């Protein structure tokens, strides 16, 4: 009985309490026929198959965020950028860069965790693609017009269709949560940086204080983790409400 | 009208097993029904992730049943198809049926014989 309780505790880390209990109940029922070793192999198999997507999706999202935000920064502020946006429009492009990099991260997270057929991943990817096109090709009037019209069509569809509205809210809320958590913590780390050495930092300063680099890394990773966790939770609520709706159309 | 959900091969197997079991479809019976009918014993991890995914897609619904001492006092989680699930599995089977039409693989004078 203790074995089953331990197994249930393990499965509760990766799924809901009721589902974990039902799964362990099924395997306990089979344990008499198949033995303890088969029981634990089955528990491990269930735990891995329920869990593997989340860490991989998170690591991929983190790297996507780091890579994309670096490229966006170079396109917007880079010395060798093909066409730098006018100074007046810089705040808009900075905001687009921030939102776009988060959307690429969330698209990848959602696609790996739930599959590319996931509506929120598709919507997020569509917006991310439009933002990327604007950042890289804003100086081509045709591209700018197509992107603005595309964004307006997506936004209108998201407002009119209730299902799309809920899916859009998931990624908008996740982007908000990400920046609402990353900015205050980054501010605290920058205060610490200023305390260590006021003014601009050189590479030598960074090497002298390796902890600071790690603090920035952990801050971004934790904020992204919180946002992806929120994304998963909101999607879970949405799916449960849709499941209830379809249950009302039972056989 | 909304098109029926597309189903993978294993999803169809699981849905047909649930339909065959009627009111008694839970993890253990679904696995044994699949093993009995197809000769393959699905891994529990594959079965539960498929059931969870189909529930999220609104293809099946689940509810908790009675707890038995045999299961250490844990409730069974029963499954049934929703209307969307039934439409999806019928549509998938019709597609197979129309592909099979005229092939004589399952019966008739030119039926495929595994032992020949």
């Amino acid at each position: 009985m203790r074995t089953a309780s331990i197994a249930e505790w393990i499965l509760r880390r990766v799924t809901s309490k009721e589902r974990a209990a039902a799964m362990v109940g099924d395997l306990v029922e089979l344990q008499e026929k198949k033995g303890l070793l088969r029981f634990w192999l089955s528990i491990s198999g269930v735990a891995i198959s329920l869990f593997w997507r989340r860490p991989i999706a998170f690591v991929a999202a983190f790297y996507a965020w780091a890579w994309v935000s670096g490229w966006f920064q170079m396109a917007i502020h880079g010395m060798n950028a093909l066409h730098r946006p006018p100074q007046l429009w810089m705040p808009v492009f900075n905001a687009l860069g921030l939102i776009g990099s988060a959307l690429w991260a969330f698209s990848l997270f959602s696609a790996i965790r739930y599959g590319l057929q996931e509506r929120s991943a598709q919507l997020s990817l569509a917006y991310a693609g439009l933002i990327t096109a604007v950042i890289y090709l804003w100086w081509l009037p045709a591209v700018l017009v197509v992107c603005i019209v595309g964004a307006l069509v997506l936004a209108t569809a998201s407002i009119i269709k209730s299902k799309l509205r809920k899916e859009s809210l998931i990624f908008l809320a996740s982007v908000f949560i990400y920046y609402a958590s990353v900015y205050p913590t980054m501010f605290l780390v920058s205060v610490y940086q200023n305390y260590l050495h006021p003014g601009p930092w050189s590479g030598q300063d960074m090497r002298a204080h390796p902890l600071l680099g790690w603090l920035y890394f952990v801050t971004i990773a934790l904020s992204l983790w919180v946002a992806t966790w929120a994304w998963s939770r909101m999607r879970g609520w949405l799916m449960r409400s849709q499941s209830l709706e379809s249950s009302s159309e039972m056989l | 009208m909304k098109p029926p959900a597309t189903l993978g091969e294993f999803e169809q197997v699981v849905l047909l097993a649930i339909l065959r079991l009627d009111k008694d479809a839970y993890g253990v019976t679904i696995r044994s029904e699949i093993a009995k009918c197809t000769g393959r014993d699905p891994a529990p991890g594959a079965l539960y992730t498929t059931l969870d995914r189909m529930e999220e897609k609104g293809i099946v619904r689940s509810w908790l049943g009675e707890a038995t001492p045999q299961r250490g006092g844990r409730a069974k989680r029963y499954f049934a198809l929703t209307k969307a699930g039934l439409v999806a599995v019928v549509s998938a089977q019709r597609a197979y049926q129309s592909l099979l039409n005229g092939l004589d693989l399952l019966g008739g004078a030119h039926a495929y014989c595994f032992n020949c």
Side-chain angles (χ1 to χ4, degrees):
Chain A
M1 209 44 67
R2 186 163 166 72
T3 307
S5 303
I6 295 169
E8 195 176 327
W9 182 87
I10 293 169
L11 289 189
R12 273 167 61 180
R13 305 304 106 198
V14 292
T15 189
S16 69
K17 193 178 163 186
E18 293 78 19
R19 286 180 180 189
M23 286 173 195
V24 172
D26 288 351
L27 296 172
V28 165
E29 207 177 312
L30 292 170
Q31 194 188 336
E32 278 182 23
K33 288 184 212 159
K34 303 207 170 181
L36 192 63
L37 179 66
R38 190 71 186 270
F39 172 81
W40 278 111
L41 284 175
S42 300
I43 290 291
S44 316
V46 172
I48 290 167
S49 59
L50 289 172
F51 182 68
W52 73 270
R53 281 175 185 263
R54 179 159 172 81
I56 288 178
F58 174 72
V59 171
F62 182 79
Y63 275 98
W65 177 86
W67 195 76
V68 172
S69 54
W71 277 100
F72 280 174
Q73 287 299 309
M74 280 197 281
I76 298 168
H77 301 284
M79 296 289 284
N80 300 318
L82 193 58
H83 292 273
R84 290 188 67 187
Q87 201 57 38
L88 186 69
W89 287 94
M90 274 302 181
V92 176
F93 276 84
N94 282 331
L96 283 178
L98 290 172
I99 295 167
S101 53
L103 285 182
W104 275 112
F106 291 134
S107 306
L108 203 61
F109 175 82
S110 187
I112 293 174
R113 181 123 198 238
Y114 306 113
L116 256 178
Q117 287 191 335
E118 178 71 15
R119 192 60 62 87
S120 51
Q122 291 171 350
L123 267 176
S124 173
L125 200 60
Y127 279 113
L130 291 174
I131 288 173
T132 307
V134 169
I135 287 175
Y136 276 94
L137 301 166
W138 63 270
W139 41 276
L140 294 174
V143 173
L144 203 57
V145 168
V146 167
C147 289
I148 290 170
V149 170
L152 285 174
V153 168
L154 273 177
T156 312
S158 304
I159 292 167
I160 293 170
K161 290 191 174 182
S162 75
K163 203 175 168 188
L164 278 181
R165 190 162 55 229
K166 288 174 187 168
E167 303 275 3
S168 307
L169 274 176
I170 290 181
F171 72 75
L172 284 176
S174 301
V175 171
F176 176 78
I177 289 168
Y178 176 62
Y179 285 108
S181 59
V182 83
Y183 275 125
T185 43
M186 288 274 260
F187 173 74
L188 291 177
V189 178
S190 68
V191 168
Y192 175 64
Q193 179 180 350
N194 204 42
Y195 163 77
L196 287 174
H197 178 85
W201 278 49
S202 63
Q204 203 177 2
D205 293 326
M206 284 302 283
R207 279 192 293 278
H209 300 281
L211 177 68
L212 197 73
W214 281 106
L215 276 177
Y216 277 116
F217 176 83
V218 170
T219 298
I220 294 165
L222 267 179
S223 303
L224 198 60
W225 186 85
V226 168
T228 52
W229 174 83
W231 178 297
S232 302
R233 274 302 170 104
M234 286 186 284
R235 182 187 174 277
W237 291 329
L238 180 63
M239 286 296 162
R240 265 193 293 280
S241 69
Q242 281 173 2
S243 183
L244 284 175
E245 280 168 25
S246 60
S247 295
S248 62
E249 292 180 14
M250 284 182 306
L251 289 172
Chain B
M1 197 181 138
K2 200 179 158 190
T6 49
L7 299 171
E9 190 259 349
F10 187 58
E11 286 177 329
Q12 289 182 53
V13 168
V14 174
L15 290 177
L16 290 171
I18 294 172
L19 279 175
R20 288 173 66 84
L21 289 161
D22 196 22
K23 303 276 182 212
D24 191 35
Y26 70 101
V28 175
T29 54
I30 295 171
R31 271 184 78 192
S32 60
E33 189 68 16
I34 293 171
K36 195 174 84 183
C37 296
T38 67
R40 65 185 200 201
D41 191 14
L47 178 65
Y48 292 125
T49 46
T50 302
L51 287 167
D52 281 355
R53 188 175 60 242
M54 290 198 295
E55 190 170 16
E56 286 181 352
K57 283 157 83 176
I59 293 170
V60 296
R61 66 188 179 94
S62 73
W63 67 96
L64 293 177
E66 76 276 20
T68 60
Q70 194 190 6
R71 301 166 55 85
R74 291 172 179 85
K76 290 175 182 173
R77 186 171 158 220
Y78 288 104
F79 292 91
L81 270 70
T82 60
K83 194 177 172 186
L86 188 67
V87 169
V89 79
V90 167
S91 154
Q93 292 304 309
R94 274 199 185 130
Y96 278 137
Q97 199 60 53
S98 64
L99 285 165
L100 278 169
N101 278 346
L103 285 179
D104 276 351
L105 281 177
L106 303 178
H110 302 99
Y112 184 81
C113 174
F114 288 99
N115 300 319
C116 304

